Amino acid sequence: MTVLRFKRILLKLSGEVLMGENGLAIDPAVTARVAGEIADVKAQGYELCVVVGGGNIFRGLAAAAKGFERATADHMGMLATVMNALAVQNALEQIGVSTRVQSAISMDKICEPVIRRRAERHLEKGRVVIFAAGVGEPYFTTDSGAALRAAEMKCDALFKGTSVDGVYDADPKVVPGATRYNTVSYDTVLAKNLKVMDASAIALCRDNNIPIVVFNIREHGNFAAVLAGEGVSTTVQKEQ
Ligand code: UDP
């Protein structure tokens, strides 16, 4: 029997990983592929919590810059994360993975509210728990939601599935020759303002000693490979 590196993990999915080339905010084929990556990892015996973003549909900060009132815009952003959570739930259940969605904003016709002990029981029963609506308050992001759920659910690591393969010392799209870190400390990320997650999420992970693994979830087999300690990724952790 293979010994797993971690027992319980939290996967943060940026909303953009559900987008397709065709401009669809939630592309069913792309969402199905992401669900497939999650199902493969689940089948290996990991306990899985998932936090989904909403940036593919609506980002509060961007809307506020265009004149929206910030709190209203953030409420809309949180609703976007619920749509994504349902899309991921649907895709997972279609391939036989049992799930529950818990939202930080109560929507009792659609999903459960966030109840930690109940989420715990779902994990014991082998369900994937998908957390929606971030922390449930404006002026936050789903990165903070991911760090919070990782801490309260006592996850061994936070895996951030995006469409880039790790953390670079500069923006690789702008700076040719930017290099990817294999590991980097929380404090370096904060001091250099590296684009990993927002500062409050990094600080919460640091204070609870939760490693953050940034990887590309769009590459087939990469999530499982990175979990096995292979594949391409960056781990943000305490200074060694
Ligand atoms: N949001 C919020 N509070 C939260 C989580 C999210 O107000 O606790 C809003 C915020 O407007 C954010 C949007 O929801 O821009 C979508 O989430 P996020 O930008 O984190 O999504 P991602 O970048 O991961 O796709």
Side-chain angles (χ1 to χ4, degrees), residues 4-51:
L4 301 180
R5 263 205 317 151
F6 305 104
K7 183 166 185 283
R8 178 176 295 180
I9 57 169
L10 186 137
L11 172 66
K12 160 74 206 293
L13 286 178
S14 310
E16 65 169 21
V17 303
L18 306 179
M19 280 178 91
E21 303 287 305
N22 49 16
L24 271 183
I26 303 175
D27 184 313
V30 174
T31 309
R33 274 208 296 279
V34 170
E37 304 298 316
I38 298 174
D40 288 348
V41 161
K42 180 79 194 63
Q44 291 176 22
Y46 291 98
E47 290 181 348
L48 263 170
C49 300
V50 179
V51 167

Short mmCIF file of all heavy atoms in Angstrom, two decimals, residues 4-51:
data_model
loop_
_atom_site.label_atom_id
_atom_site.label_comp_id
_atom_site.label_asym_id
_atom_site.label_seq_id
_atom_site.Cartn_x
_atom_site.Cartn_y
_atom_site.Cartn_z
N LEU A 4 0.47 7.81 1.88
CA LEU A 4 0.15 9.13 1.35
C LEU A 4 0.96 10.19 2.08
O LEU A 4 1.16 10.12 3.29
CB LEU A 4 -1.35 9.41 1.49
CG LEU A 4 -2.30 8.43 0.80
CD1 LEU A 4 -3.75 8.85 1.03
CD2 LEU A 4 -2.02 8.36 -0.70
N ARG A 5 1.41 11.20 1.31
CA ARG A 5 2.18 12.30 1.91
C ARG A 5 1.34 13.13 2.84
O ARG A 5 1.80 13.69 3.83
CB ARG A 5 2.71 13.22 0.79
CG ARG A 5 4.12 12.89 0.40
CD ARG A 5 4.86 14.05 -0.19
NE ARG A 5 4.15 14.86 -1.16
CZ ARG A 5 4.41 16.15 -1.35
NH1 ARG A 5 5.31 16.76 -0.61
NH2 ARG A 5 3.78 16.83 -2.27
N PHE A 6 0.08 13.28 2.49
CA PHE A 6 -0.86 14.05 3.31
C PHE A 6 -2.12 13.20 3.46
O PHE A 6 -2.39 12.35 2.61
CB PHE A 6 -1.27 15.36 2.62
CG PHE A 6 -0.11 16.23 2.23
CD1 PHE A 6 0.29 16.31 0.91
CD2 PHE A 6 0.57 16.97 3.18
CE1 PHE A 6 1.35 17.13 0.54
CE2 PHE A 6 1.63 17.78 2.83
CZ PHE A 6 2.02 17.86 1.50
N LYS A 7 -2.89 13.45 4.53
CA LYS A 7 -4.14 12.70 4.66
C LYS A 7 -5.30 13.55 4.13
O LYS A 7 -6.05 13.14 3.27
CB LYS A 7 -4.37 12.34 6.13
CG LYS A 7 -5.60 11.50 6.36
CD LYS A 7 -5.57 10.90 7.76
CE LYS A 7 -6.72 9.94 7.99
NZ LYS A 7 -7.98 10.61 8.25
N ARG A 8 -5.36 14.75 4.65
CA ARG A 8 -6.48 15.63 4.28
C ARG A 8 -5.92 16.88 3.59
O ARG A 8 -5.05 17.55 4.15
CB ARG A 8 -7.25 16.02 5.53
CG ARG A 8 -8.39 16.97 5.24
CD ARG A 8 -9.19 17.25 6.47
NE ARG A 8 -9.87 16.05 6.98
CZ ARG A 8 -10.64 16.03 8.05
NH1 ARG A 8 -10.82 17.14 8.75
NH2 ARG A 8 -11.23 14.91 8.45
N ILE A 9 -6.46 17.18 2.43
CA ILE A 9 -5.98 18.38 1.75
C ILE A 9 -7.13 19.29 1.35
O ILE A 9 -8.26 18.84 1.18
CB ILE A 9 -5.14 18.05 0.50
CG1 ILE A 9 -5.94 17.20 -0.47
CG2 ILE A 9 -3.84 17.37 0.86
CD1 ILE A 9 -5.27 17.08 -1.81
N LEU A 10 -6.80 20.56 1.21
CA LEU A 10 -7.77 21.51 0.68
C LEU A 10 -7.30 21.94 -0.70
O LEU A 10 -6.14 22.33 -0.86
CB LEU A 10 -7.90 22.73 1.59
CG LEU A 10 -9.02 23.67 1.10
CD1 LEU A 10 -9.86 24.16 2.25
CD2 LEU A 10 -8.49 24.82 0.28
N LEU A 11 -8.18 21.82 -1.66
CA LEU A 11 -7.87 22.27 -3.02
C LEU A 11 -8.57 23.58 -3.27
O LEU A 11 -9.80 23.67 -3.19
CB LEU A 11 -8.33 21.21 -4.04
CG LEU A 11 -8.24 21.64 -5.51
CD1 LEU A 11 -6.78 21.82 -5.94
CD2 LEU A 11 -8.93 20.61 -6.41
N LYS A 12 -7.79 24.62 -3.57
CA LYS A 12 -8.39 25.90 -3.97
C LYS A 12 -8.38 25.96 -5.49
O LYS A 12 -7.33 25.86 -6.11
CB LYS A 12 -7.58 27.07 -3.38
CG LYS A 12 -7.80 28.42 -4.08
CD LYS A 12 -9.13 29.06 -3.77
CE LYS A 12 -9.61 30.01 -4.89
NZ LYS A 12 -8.87 31.21 -5.11
N LEU A 13 -9.57 26.10 -6.07
CA LEU A 13 -9.68 26.21 -7.52
C LEU A 13 -10.01 27.65 -7.89
O LEU A 13 -11.05 28.16 -7.47
CB LEU A 13 -10.82 25.34 -8.04
CG LEU A 13 -10.66 23.83 -8.07
CD1 LEU A 13 -11.95 23.20 -8.56
CD2 LEU A 13 -9.49 23.44 -8.96
N SER A 14 -9.15 28.29 -8.66
CA SER A 14 -9.51 29.62 -9.16
C SER A 14 -10.65 29.45 -10.14
O SER A 14 -10.68 28.47 -10.90
CB SER A 14 -8.34 30.26 -9.91
OG SER A 14 -7.19 30.18 -9.15
N GLY A 15 -11.55 30.43 -10.17
CA GLY A 15 -12.67 30.34 -11.10
C GLY A 15 -12.20 30.16 -12.55
O GLY A 15 -12.82 29.43 -13.33
N GLU A 16 -11.08 30.79 -12.86
CA GLU A 16 -10.60 30.76 -14.27
C GLU A 16 -10.27 29.36 -14.78
O GLU A 16 -10.30 29.14 -15.99
CB GLU A 16 -9.38 31.68 -14.43
CG GLU A 16 -8.18 31.22 -13.65
CD GLU A 16 -6.89 31.98 -14.02
OE1 GLU A 16 -6.99 33.10 -14.56
OE2 GLU A 16 -5.81 31.45 -13.73
N VAL A 17 -10.02 28.40 -13.88
CA VAL A 17 -9.69 27.06 -14.38
C VAL A 17 -10.92 26.35 -14.96
O VAL A 17 -10.80 25.30 -15.59
CB VAL A 17 -8.99 26.15 -13.33
CG1 VAL A 17 -7.73 26.78 -12.80
CG2 VAL A 17 -9.92 25.75 -12.21
N LEU A 18 -12.10 26.93 -14.75
CA LEU A 18 -13.31 26.32 -15.32
C LEU A 18 -13.65 26.93 -16.69
O LEU A 18 -14.57 26.49 -17.37
CB LEU A 18 -14.51 26.52 -14.37
CG LEU A 18 -14.32 26.04 -12.93
CD1 LEU A 18 -15.58 26.33 -12.12
CD2 LEU A 18 -13.99 24.56 -12.88
N MET A 19 -12.90 27.95 -17.07
CA MET A 19 -13.19 28.66 -18.34
C MET A 19 -12.64 27.90 -19.53
O MET A 19 -11.61 27.24 -19.44
CB MET A 19 -12.52 30.04 -18.33
CG MET A 19 -13.28 31.08 -17.57
SD MET A 19 -12.39 32.64 -17.58
CE MET A 19 -13.10 33.38 -19.03
N GLY A 20 -13.34 28.07 -20.66
CA GLY A 20 -12.86 27.43 -21.89
C GLY A 20 -12.32 28.45 -22.86
O GLY A 20 -12.39 29.65 -22.63
N GLU A 21 -11.78 27.94 -23.96
CA GLU A 21 -11.24 28.80 -25.02
C GLU A 21 -12.37 29.62 -25.65
O GLU A 21 -12.16 30.72 -26.13
CB GLU A 21 -10.62 27.95 -26.13
CG GLU A 21 -9.53 27.01 -25.66
CD GLU A 21 -8.26 27.76 -25.32
OE1 GLU A 21 -7.77 28.50 -26.19
OE2 GLU A 21 -7.78 27.62 -24.17
N ASN A 22 -13.57 29.04 -25.63
CA ASN A 22 -14.71 29.66 -26.32
C ASN A 22 -15.33 30.83 -25.57
O ASN A 22 -16.36 31.34 -25.98
CB ASN A 22 -15.78 28.59 -26.57
CG ASN A 22 -16.07 27.82 -25.28
OD1 ASN A 22 -15.70 28.28 -24.20
ND2 ASN A 22 -16.70 26.68 -25.38
N GLY A 23 -14.70 31.24 -24.45
CA GLY A 23 -15.21 32.39 -23.71
C GLY A 23 -16.31 32.05 -22.72
O GLY A 23 -16.79 32.92 -22.02
N LEU A 24 -16.73 30.79 -22.66
CA LEU A 24 -17.74 30.38 -21.69
C LEU A 24 -17.14 30.48 -20.29
O LEU A 24 -16.05 29.96 -20.04
CB LEU A 24 -18.14 28.92 -21.92
CG LEU A 24 -19.28 28.60 -22.88
CD1 LEU A 24 -19.53 27.10 -22.89
CD2 LEU A 24 -20.54 29.34 -22.47
N ALA A 25 -17.87 31.14 -19.37
CA ALA A 25 -17.34 31.27 -18.01
C ALA A 25 -17.19 29.90 -17.35
O ALA A 25 -16.20 29.60 -16.68
CB ALA A 25 -18.26 32.15 -17.18
N ILE A 26 -18.19 29.05 -17.55
CA ILE A 26 -18.09 27.68 -17.04
C ILE A 26 -18.22 26.76 -18.25
O ILE A 26 -19.31 26.57 -18.78
CB ILE A 26 -19.21 27.36 -16.01
CG1 ILE A 26 -19.16 28.35 -14.84
CG2 ILE A 26 -19.06 25.92 -15.50
CD1 ILE A 26 -20.31 28.19 -13.84
N ASP A 27 -17.11 26.22 -18.69
CA ASP A 27 -17.12 25.35 -19.85
C ASP A 27 -17.32 23.91 -19.35
O ASP A 27 -16.50 23.40 -18.58
CB ASP A 27 -15.78 25.49 -20.58
CG ASP A 27 -15.73 24.68 -21.86
OD1 ASP A 27 -16.11 23.49 -21.82
OD2 ASP A 27 -15.30 25.22 -22.88
N PRO A 28 -18.41 23.25 -19.76
CA PRO A 28 -18.69 21.91 -19.22
C PRO A 28 -17.56 20.91 -19.45
O PRO A 28 -17.23 20.13 -18.55
CB PRO A 28 -19.96 21.48 -19.98
CG PRO A 28 -20.56 22.74 -20.48
CD PRO A 28 -19.45 23.72 -20.70
N ALA A 29 -16.93 20.97 -20.62
CA ALA A 29 -15.86 20.00 -20.91
C ALA A 29 -14.64 20.27 -20.03
O ALA A 29 -14.03 19.34 -19.48
CB ALA A 29 -15.48 20.09 -22.39
N VAL A 30 -14.31 21.55 -19.86
CA VAL A 30 -13.15 21.91 -19.02
C VAL A 30 -13.44 21.54 -17.57
O VAL A 30 -12.60 20.97 -16.86
CB VAL A 30 -12.84 23.42 -19.16
CG1 VAL A 30 -11.74 23.84 -18.20
CG2 VAL A 30 -12.46 23.76 -20.59
N THR A 31 -14.67 21.83 -17.12
CA THR A 31 -15.05 21.51 -15.73
C THR A 31 -14.99 20.00 -15.51
O THR A 31 -14.54 19.53 -14.46
CB THR A 31 -16.46 22.06 -15.44
OG1 THR A 31 -16.49 23.44 -15.82
CG2 THR A 31 -16.81 21.97 -13.97
N ALA A 32 -15.43 19.24 -16.51
CA ALA A 32 -15.38 17.78 -16.40
C ALA A 32 -13.92 17.29 -16.29
O ALA A 32 -13.63 16.37 -15.52
CB ALA A 32 -16.05 17.14 -17.62
N ARG A 33 -13.02 17.94 -17.03
CA ARG A 33 -11.61 17.54 -16.95
C ARG A 33 -11.05 17.81 -15.55
O ARG A 33 -10.34 16.98 -14.97
CB ARG A 33 -10.78 18.31 -17.99
CG ARG A 33 -10.77 17.64 -19.37
CD ARG A 33 -9.50 17.97 -20.14
NE ARG A 33 -9.36 19.39 -20.45
CZ ARG A 33 -9.97 20.01 -21.46
NH1 ARG A 33 -10.75 19.32 -22.27
NH2 ARG A 33 -9.79 21.29 -21.67
N VAL A 34 -11.37 18.99 -15.00
CA VAL A 34 -10.90 19.33 -13.64
C VAL A 34 -11.48 18.32 -12.64
O VAL A 34 -10.77 17.82 -11.76
CB VAL A 34 -11.30 20.78 -13.26
CG1 VAL A 34 -11.03 21.07 -11.80
CG2 VAL A 34 -10.56 21.78 -14.15
N ALA A 35 -12.77 17.97 -12.81
CA ALA A 35 -13.40 16.99 -11.91
C ALA A 35 -12.68 15.64 -12.02
O ALA A 35 -12.50 14.96 -11.00
CB ALA A 35 -14.88 16.84 -12.28
N GLY A 36 -12.27 15.30 -13.21
CA GLY A 36 -11.54 14.04 -13.41
C GLY A 36 -10.24 14.01 -12.61
O GLY A 36 -9.88 13.00 -12.00
N GLU A 37 -9.53 15.16 -12.59
CA GLU A 37 -8.28 15.25 -11.83
C GLU A 37 -8.57 15.06 -10.34
O GLU A 37 -7.83 14.39 -9.61
CB GLU A 37 -7.59 16.61 -12.03
CG GLU A 37 -7.30 16.99 -13.47
CD GLU A 37 -6.36 16.03 -14.17
OE1 GLU A 37 -5.35 15.65 -13.56
OE2 GLU A 37 -6.65 15.65 -15.33
N ILE A 38 -9.68 15.66 -9.88
CA ILE A 38 -10.06 15.55 -8.46
C ILE A 38 -10.44 14.10 -8.13
O ILE A 38 -10.03 13.54 -7.10
CB ILE A 38 -11.23 16.51 -8.12
CG1 ILE A 38 -10.80 17.96 -8.37
CG2 ILE A 38 -11.71 16.33 -6.69
CD1 ILE A 38 -11.92 18.99 -8.22
N ALA A 39 -11.20 13.48 -9.04
CA ALA A 39 -11.64 12.10 -8.80
C ALA A 39 -10.44 11.15 -8.71
O ALA A 39 -10.42 10.25 -7.86
CB ALA A 39 -12.57 11.66 -9.94
N ASP A 40 -9.43 11.37 -9.55
CA ASP A 40 -8.23 10.51 -9.52
C ASP A 40 -7.55 10.58 -8.16
O ASP A 40 -7.10 9.58 -7.60
CB ASP A 40 -7.23 10.94 -10.60
CG ASP A 40 -7.72 10.57 -12.00
OD1 ASP A 40 -8.70 9.80 -12.08
OD2 ASP A 40 -7.15 11.07 -12.99
N VAL A 41 -7.48 11.80 -7.63
CA VAL A 41 -6.82 12.00 -6.34
C VAL A 41 -7.67 11.41 -5.22
O VAL A 41 -7.17 10.74 -4.30
CB VAL A 41 -6.57 13.53 -6.14
CG1 VAL A 41 -6.33 13.87 -4.70
CG2 VAL A 41 -5.42 13.97 -7.03
N LYS A 42 -8.96 11.59 -5.31
CA LYS A 42 -9.89 11.05 -4.31
C LYS A 42 -9.76 9.52 -4.24
O LYS A 42 -9.75 8.94 -3.16
CB LYS A 42 -11.32 11.46 -4.70
CG LYS A 42 -12.40 10.99 -3.77
CD LYS A 42 -12.46 11.88 -2.53
CE LYS A 42 -13.27 11.29 -1.41
NZ LYS A 42 -12.80 10.06 -0.84
N ALA A 43 -9.62 8.91 -5.43
CA ALA A 43 -9.54 7.45 -5.51
C ALA A 43 -8.28 6.91 -4.82
O ALA A 43 -8.22 5.75 -4.44
CB ALA A 43 -9.56 7.01 -6.97
N GLN A 44 -7.29 7.78 -4.64
CA GLN A 44 -6.06 7.35 -3.95
C GLN A 44 -6.21 7.35 -2.44
O GLN A 44 -5.30 6.97 -1.72
CB GLN A 44 -4.90 8.26 -4.34
CG GLN A 44 -4.47 8.09 -5.78
CD GLN A 44 -3.38 9.09 -6.16
OE1 GLN A 44 -2.68 9.60 -5.29
NE2 GLN A 44 -3.26 9.36 -7.43
N GLY A 45 -7.34 7.86 -1.93
CA GLY A 45 -7.59 7.79 -0.50
C GLY A 45 -7.45 9.10 0.25
O GLY A 45 -7.53 9.12 1.48
N TYR A 46 -7.22 10.19 -0.46
CA TYR A 46 -7.13 11.49 0.22
C TYR A 46 -8.50 11.96 0.68
O TYR A 46 -9.50 11.68 0.01
CB TYR A 46 -6.56 12.56 -0.72
CG TYR A 46 -5.11 12.35 -1.05
CD1 TYR A 46 -4.74 11.72 -2.24
CD2 TYR A 46 -4.10 12.75 -0.19
CE1 TYR A 46 -3.41 11.51 -2.56
CE2 TYR A 46 -2.77 12.55 -0.50
CZ TYR A 46 -2.43 11.93 -1.68
OH TYR A 46 -1.12 11.71 -1.98
N GLU A 47 -8.54 12.69 1.79
CA GLU A 47 -9.76 13.40 2.17
C GLU A 47 -9.67 14.78 1.55
O GLU A 47 -8.64 15.47 1.69
CB GLU A 47 -9.85 13.52 3.70
CG GLU A 47 -10.12 12.18 4.37
CD GLU A 47 -10.23 12.29 5.88
OE1 GLU A 47 -9.88 13.34 6.45
OE2 GLU A 47 -10.64 11.30 6.50
N LEU A 48 -10.74 15.16 0.87
CA LEU A 48 -10.64 16.37 0.04
C LEU A 48 -11.69 17.42 0.36
O LEU A 48 -12.90 17.15 0.32
CB LEU A 48 -10.85 15.98 -1.42
CG LEU A 48 -9.61 15.76 -2.27
CD1 LEU A 48 -10.01 15.14 -3.59
CD2 LEU A 48 -8.94 17.10 -2.51
N CYS A 49 -11.20 18.63 0.67
CA CYS A 49 -12.06 19.81 0.74
C CYS A 49 -11.72 20.65 -0.49
O CYS A 49 -10.56 20.70 -0.89
CB CYS A 49 -11.74 20.65 1.98
SG CYS A 49 -11.95 19.79 3.54
N VAL A 50 -12.73 21.29 -1.06
CA VAL A 50 -12.49 22.15 -2.23
C VAL A 50 -13.08 23.52 -1.95
O VAL A 50 -14.20 23.62 -1.44
CB VAL A 50 -13.14 21.55 -3.50
CG1 VAL A 50 -12.91 22.45 -4.71
CG2 VAL A 50 -12.62 20.14 -3.78
N VAL A 51 -12.32 24.56 -2.25
CA VAL A 51 -12.85 25.93 -2.20
C VAL A 51 -12.78 26.48 -3.62
O VAL A 51 -11.73 26.41 -4.25
CB VAL A 51 -12.04 26.82 -1.23
CG1 VAL A 51 -12.39 28.30 -1.41
CG2 VAL A 51 -12.32 26.41 0.21
#
